[in-house]
């Protein structure tokens, strides 16, 4: 009987327990690997989206006219919208380098004063139509009544885009 208990003990200690431990360890590793795989799939999807957006931006940069600047873009749209030069109070351009990038961030703040609603509508329409194909992003638009005059509007907008260095 004692020999049977010793054989049973040895069998349990050296065969059964290590096998169950190994099985549990494999289940934990499989679960962990599944989580890693899910994360990798999500990251791959995010990478694909970013890559697609980068390709789209690069295509738009290629279509831009040579010598494109945000300042000239905003000024040209104002002229095309029929806004006289004296109503363009200022356009303040600025550029900043982006770390580890062949592009510069170009920003501009523009103030238009004493616009009638038709001029404002024409300008905003042209801006909306052309901003996407030129990769211009509007950060802020402020529309206020112009002084005490009824029917006239002041417009301040901040725009930005990327330009090649």
């Amino acid at each position: 009987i004692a020999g049977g208990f010793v054989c049973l003990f040895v069998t349990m200690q050296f065969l059964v327990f290590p096998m169950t431990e190994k099985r549990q360890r494999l289940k934990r590793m499989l679960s962990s690997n599944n989580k890693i795989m899910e994360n990798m799939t999500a990251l791959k999807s995010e990478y694909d989206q970013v890559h697609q957006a980068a390709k789209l931006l690069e295509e738009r940069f290629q279509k831009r006219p040579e010598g494109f600047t945000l300042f000239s873009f905003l000024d040209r749209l104002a002229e095309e919208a029929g806004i006289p030069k004296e109503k363009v109070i200022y356009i303040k351009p600025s550029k900043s380098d982006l770390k580890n990038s062949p592009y510069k961030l170009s920003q501009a703040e523009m103030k238009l004063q004493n616009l009638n609603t038709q001029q404002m509508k024409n300008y905003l329409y042209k801006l909306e139509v052309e901003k996407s194909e030129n990769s211009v992003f509007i950060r802020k638009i402020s529309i206020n009544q112009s002084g005490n005059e009824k029917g006239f509007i002041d417009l301040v907008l901040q725009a930005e885009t990327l330009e090649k260095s």
Side-chain angles (χ1 to χ4, degrees):
I1 292 177
F5 279 123
V6 169
C7 281
L8 182 63
F9 175 77
V10 168
T11 304
M12 295 294 280
Q13 190 68 27
F14 293 109
L15 288 177
V16 176
F17 291 150
M19 290 176 71
T20 57
E21 281 181 32
K22 186 173 183 177
R23 182 179 170 104
Q24 289 173 350
R25 198 172 345 118
L26 287 175
K27 281 183 180 181
R28 284 193 305 267
M29 284 177 52
L30 183 62
S31 174
S32 175
N33 286 343
N34 282 341
K35 287 179 184 176
I36 291 172
M37 186 61 135
E38 288 174 8
N39 287 341
M40 287 177 65
T41 304
L43 288 173
K44 170 75 167 107
S45 174
E46 186 177 333
Y47 170 80
D48 289 343
Q49 290 174 348
V50 168
H51 185 70
Q52 190 68 19
K55 277 178 62 175
L56 181 63
L57 280 174
E58 188 61 38
E59 288 173 9
R60 288 180 179 166
F61 284 141
Q62 299 300 326
K63 291 178 184 176
R64 275 186 180 170
E66 191 67 31
F68 175 89
T69 63
L70 186 57
F71 180 93
S72 63
F73 173 76
L74 295 173
D75 190 47
R76 178 181 56 82
L77 287 183
E79 188 177 307
E80 289 177 6
I83 297 173
K85 292 281 185 195
E86 62 270 6
K87 291 190 178 198
V88 178
I89 304 305
Y90 63 79
I91 302 176
K92 296 178 185 175
S94 67
K95 290 187 181 183
S96 57
D97 290 326
L98 297 175
K99 248 184 176 178
N100 302 324
S101 174
Y103 301 104
K104 288 184 177 184
L105 180 64
S106 178
Q107 299 172 317
E109 182 173 312
M110 178 182 204
K111 181 173 184 178
L112 303 171
Q113 198 169 34
N114 293 328
L115 300 178
N116 63 38
T117 54
Q118 187 62 38
Q119 289 170 325
M120 183 190 71
K121 185 176 84 171
N122 289 343
Y123 184 74
L124 292 177
Y125 177 76
K126 287 192 167 295
L127 184 64
E128 185 63 30
V129 168
E130 292 197 25
K131 75 178 174 120
S132 61
E133 59 192 50
N134 287 298
S135 297
V136 174
F137 304 97
I138 305 303
R139 286 286 164 218
K140 180 181 172 184
I141 294 181
S142 174
I143 301 172
N144 297 314
Q145 183 177 344
S146 181
N148 293 329
E149 300 178 47
K150 286 195 172 195
F152 289 97
I153 299 167
D154 291 345
L155 176 76
V156 178
L157 67 90
Q158 293 175 350
E160 64 183 32
T161 190
L162 294 175
E163 294 179 2
K164 291 192 177 186
S165 298

